[in-house]
Amino acid sequence: KAGVTQTPRYLIKTRGQQVTLSCSPISGHRSVSWYQQTPGQGLQFLFEYFSETQRNKGNFPGRFSGRQFSNSRSEMNVSTLELGDSALYLCASSHSGHSSTDTQYFGPGTRLTVL
Amino acid sequence: KNQVEQSPQSLIILEGKNCTLQCNYTVSPFSNLRWYKQDTGRGPVSLTIMTFSENTKSNGRYTATLDADTKQSSLHITASQLSDSASYICVVRKGGSYIPTFGRGTSLIVHP
């Protein structure tokens, strides 16, 4: 079974631009979560989608948004990029996400650099 | 404030040696605690998960322990291998909440 895939793997943008990241979950997984990882803050939860609906949201500004399609693929968008948005963005999928013990499978991440 | 603290921040050991990583948390109410291994340039991979009633869980050479009374967990790696070089992240879930609280991780380097 193919793992979680994320595209692109690397991205360089300038301040003020917007960016869209893509995530394809493991086949059959319906829950997709997004995380931001930085050296200073570590891993932080952005949001979780299930059946095309945002089910949980972390403490990030509205510039960070996402969506999920009917095939469970998900996209994350960051508008008006700031230098502090430079990070590794990780996507993780799980079967349903209903149980807190559901195992999440992470993709390799998208490394975003904002200049 | 719900927090997860890991120690040490980094650790260097020789191949074949054992080591123990620590995780202290204040998350309450507690639901479960998971240890992840993250290789450089890759996403985290789950090693073990423990709920309130479990105090030890093994996965090959990795053994995690949990003391829910003192809110402490440890990850013991036996007979380390070069491939164990990675960041180890402790994650705690609060009861009734989906949102996890992550530790900053321990960076482990295994030297030949």
Side-chain angles (χ1 to χ4, degrees):
Chain A
K1 210 181 233 187
V4 177
T5 58
Q6 292 187 245
T7 57
R9 292 294 311 278
Y10 302 91
L11 206 47
I12 299 175
K13 291 286 188 179
T14 56
R15 276 181 299 174
Q17 288 187 309
Q18 66 98 27
V19 67
T20 299
L21 313 181
S22 182
C23 170
S24 292
I26 291 172
S27 177
H29 285 189
R30 297 173 63 192
S31 169
V32 174
S33 296
W34 288 90
Y35 298 87
Q36 181 194 66
Q37 187 175 32
T38 60
Q41 298 293 323
L43 270 157
Q44 293 181 282
F45 173 80
L46 280 156
F47 29 66
E48 184 236 358
Y49 284 86
F50 179 81
S51 290
E52 302 177 64
T53 301
Q54 187 181 87
R55 192 164 61 174
N56 290 282
K57 188 178 189 303
N59 195 24
F60 277 79
R63 299 186 297 108
F64 293 82
S65 63
R67 58 177 176 168
Q68 187 181 34
F69 302 94
S70 57
N71 61 359
S72 294
R73 191 177 70 83
S74 178
E75 286 182 347
M76 191 193 101
N77 185 276
V78 187
S79 62
T80 319
L81 283 166
E82 301 176 359
L83 295 179
D85 296 334
S86 293
L88 179 68
Y89 289 89
L90 292 159
C91 162
S93 75
S94 64
H95 268 291
S96 68
H98 283 306
S99 168
S100 64
T101 57
D102 243 13
T103 296
Q104 290 189 316
Y105 296 86
F106 283 81
T110 293
R111 172 75 61 186
L112 172 65
T113 301
V114 182
L115 302 175
Chain B
K1 184 180 177 185
N2 293 314
Q3 287 189 313
V4 177
E5 302 286 343
Q6 291 188 243
S7 62
Q9 191 174 342
S10 60
L11 184 61
I12 301 173
I13 62 174
L14 290 176
E15 187 179 11
K17 297 296 186 183
N18 303 336
C19 68
T20 300
L21 314 180
Q22 299 289 346
C23 173
N24 296 339
Y25 62 92
T26 60
V27 175
S28 183
F30 174 84
S31 175
N32 61 73
L33 183 148
R34 195 184 290 267
W35 283 93
Y36 282 97
K37 177 189 179 191
Q38 184 174 21
D39 292 315
T40 302
R42 297 193 155 201
V45 174
S46 179
L47 294 174
T48 63
I49 180 173
M50 289 179 291
T51 58
F52 187 87
S53 58
E54 298 169 299
N55 56 21
T56 188
K57 186 74 71 78
S58 290
N59 178 359
R61 295 179 297 102
Y62 301 101
T63 299
T65 63
L66 173 67
D67 185 333
D69 292 330
T70 62
K71 298 187 177 181
Q72 295 180 325
S73 176
S74 64
L75 179 69
H76 186 74
I77 304 174
T78 304
S80 61
Q81 300 176 357
L82 298 179
S83 59
D84 291 332
S85 295
S87 179
Y88 292 84
I89 303 169
C90 174
V91 186
V92 180
R93 270 222 162 89
K94 184 177 177 179
S97 171
Y98 180 88
I99 299 173
T101 302
F102 293 87
R104 297 284 181 91
T106 292
S107 176
L108 174 66
I109 297 174
V110 180
H111 278 309

